[in-house]
Amino acid sequence: MASSDLTPLEDALTHLLSRAPSLIGTETVALTEALDRILAQDQPVPADVPPADNSSVDGYALRQGDLAQGQTIPVSARIPAGTAPTPLAEGSAARIFTGSEIPAGADAVVMQEQVEVSDAGIRVGTEVTPGQNIRRRGQDLKQGDLALPAGTRLRPQELGLLASMGVARVPVKNRLKVAILTTGDELVEPGAPLGPGQIYNTNRFTLLGLLQHAACEVVLCESLADDRAATEASLQRAARRADLIITTGGVSVGEEDHVRAALEASGKLSLWRLAIKPGKPLAFGQIEGTPLLGLPGNPAAVLVTFAMIVMPFIRQCQGQPRIHPVGERLPAGFEVPSPSIRRGFFRARKELEAGELRLSAYPNQSSGMLSSACWADGLAVIPENAEVRAGDVLTYYSFTELLA
């Protein structure tokens, strides 16, 4: 097949992203329910964080100007965390703990390990500079600044940041509603015995996990029989319930590939066959105005196309500011002697060889082998029409970056 018959990945993404619907509905949820949700509004800082100068260590708060060589300073106060300190008495120190508020009059904190303690007080055995070991008010966040912009995916660290600002509930975008339709008479649900010619429905469970991690709501999850009328009926039902339909299988050129045929018959097939490997038989179109992404049927191809195509589409729908992965450049620890007209995405992982990070590829890159993705930590990109020799520098995307 000539390369002109296949759509390059960048062209396909441009086509898809320009047709991604935007989520418009929002809801307000508790922080405990906000993990992986998409922030719907900018979050300004309501008050300085921290709200007052505090100690970054356990030690003694004092005034640097009160110190003299070898002088013993009396301890006049003890300041546990969570208590309001009184002003520091002149010529004295206050016992203080990590996170405790700095008393008025103190301008430094000395670590307890650098202090000699006696009944008479403390003797400091190190040089002290004003401001040492003090976390200033507003050092992390200042009132009125932008803490998090709309479109931010709320990871554990964002939840902690919101909590540090006193935010208990947060506005988030409604979840993208997705329908999963897996095709094939041969598919059997896990737990049932396999008959002749049958296989377990791998793709359903891969997609369920991927979509949950992507903050989507699966509103329909069905297996389609290899029947044209039944396929069209299921697609129409999914279109009425979902913002996005994802199918697996049924988009190639076989007599039983009814998903592609249904899109063609409706006149809404706008993209088919990509110049990537695995993942060539990928289709995009609309059913009753609802976008449909038809993924290949092979399990590893489903994972690769979801990572490289579906996730950018979902991020665009969610209004996230970062749509595409950045990746990193690393030397290959493997070879690809035969170039392909399609861009390859090898299941790979980073390994340390002789003190240098290199990319190792799973020995069998068959699109039907999902075990390769369990061994791997990401995807190594093999450029079109390129041989790869050990040491050649390749782009590598971790699954963590691709699927976040």
Side-chain angles (χ1 to χ4, degrees):
M1 177 178 294
S3 59
S4 59
D5 297 328
L6 305 174
T7 303
L9 177 60
E10 288 79 9
D11 292 349
L13 285 171
T14 298
H15 179 88
L16 292 171
L17 298 182
S18 67
R19 290 159 175 78
S22 297
L23 290 176
I24 55 175
T26 65
E27 60 177 326
T28 300
V29 301
L31 282 187
T32 52
E33 302 171 357
L35 182 63
D36 286 333
R37 300 297 296 271
I38 307 302
L39 194 60
Q41 300 171 10
D42 289 348
Q43 290 294 294
V45 181
D48 288 342
V49 179
D53 292 355
N54 68 85
S55 177
S56 63
V57 298
D58 292 342
Y60 293 85
L62 46 77
R63 185 182 293 104
Q64 188 264 349
D66 289 340
L67 293 175
Q69 184 69 32
Q71 176 185 355
T72 297
I73 300 177
V75 178
S76 62
R78 185 175 185 273
I79 311 172
T83 61
T86 58
L88 183 67
E90 187 174 350
S92 72
R95 179 71 166 119
I96 198 166
F97 302 90
T98 302
S100 296
E101 186 174 334
I102 302 295
D107 62 8
V109 176
V110 182
M111 295 176 63
Q112 60 187 21
E113 293 86 352
Q114 298 172 331
V115 170
E116 181 183 328
V117 182
S118 67
D119 291 341
I122 63 168
R123 182 176 296 171
V124 178
T126 186
E127 183 179 350
V128 176
T129 57
Q132 74 177 42
N133 298 318
I134 294 177
R135 293 185 291 223
R136 295 299 184 187
R137 173 177 176 169
Q139 176 179 302
D140 191 6
L141 299 168
K142 289 192 176 297
Q143 183 177 13
D145 286 352
L146 177 63
L148 296 171
T152 299
R153 174 176 171 265
L154 298 176
R155 302 168 296 174
Q157 52 266 49
E158 279 82 20
L159 298 185
L161 186 70
L162 289 165
S164 77
M165 294 158 41
V167 176
R169 297 178 64 81
V170 64
V172 295
K173 294 192 175 184
N174 287 341
R175 296 181 188 273
L176 188 72
K177 294 180 172 60
V178 183
I180 299 173
L181 302 177
T182 51
T183 69
D185 289 337
E186 74 278 12
L187 298 180
V188 175
E189 292 305 298
L194 289 178
Q198 293 182 325
I199 59 172
Y200 288 118
N201 191 343
T202 303
N203 294 332
R204 168 181 290 184
F205 295 91
T206 300
L207 288 173
L208 283 171
L210 290 168
L211 290 166
Q212 180 180 357
H213 191 56
C216 296
E217 178 186 355
V218 176
V219 294
L220 185 67
C221 188
E222 294 182 352
S223 293
L224 301 183
D226 288 328
D227 177 84
R228 174 68 176 273
T231 296
E232 290 179 347
S234 293
L235 291 174
Q236 291 165 2
R237 184 166 60 255
R240 290 190 289 269
R241 297 181 58 180
D243 303 311
L244 170 65
I245 304 168
I246 298 177
T247 65
T248 64
V251 293
S252 192
V253 293
E255 295 178 0
E256 302 298 334
D257 291 319
H258 299 298
V259 173
R260 179 186 56 81
L263 285 171
E264 283 185 320
S266 68
K268 298 299 183 180
L269 177 67
S270 61
L271 181 69
W272 182 48
R273 297 191 301 187
L274 303 190
I276 62 174
K277 184 179 183 180
K280 179 179 70 175
L282 182 139
F284 175 75
Q286 290 186 343
I287 297 292
E288 297 184 357
T290 300
L292 180 148
L293 276 162
L295 309 187
N298 283 318
V302 167
L303 179 65
V304 170
T305 52
F306 190 96
M308 300 308 304
I309 295 163
V310 180
M311 273 308 303
F313 188 88
I314 289 174
R315 293 189 192 107
Q316 182 79 359
C317 294
Q318 294 171 333
Q320 294 194 50
R322 181 182 293 178
I323 303 298
H324 303 288
V326 176
E328 56 186 312
R329 299 281 287 173
L330 293 167
F334 60 93
E335 295 189 348
V336 182
S338 302
S340 171
I341 62 172
R342 294 187 281 159
R343 187 177 307 175
F345 293 92
F346 276 35
R347 278 80 77 198
R349 68 186 184 192
K350 296 187 287 188
E351 293 186 340
L352 197 62
E353 297 180 10
E356 181 184 32
L357 274 179
R358 284 179 171 258
L359 295 174
S360 293
Y362 194 75
N364 190 328
Q365 292 289 324
S366 166
S367 61
M369 292 188 61
L370 197 56
S371 59
S372 61
C374 299
W375 173 91
D377 294 322
L379 300 175
V381 183
I382 313 301
E384 299 90 333
N385 305 305
E387 297 181 13
V388 175
R389 300 184 185 277
D392 289 350
V393 177
L394 302 175
T395 298
Y396 172 77
Y397 300 116
S398 71
F399 285 137
T400 299
E401 182 185 15
L402 286 171
L403 302 174

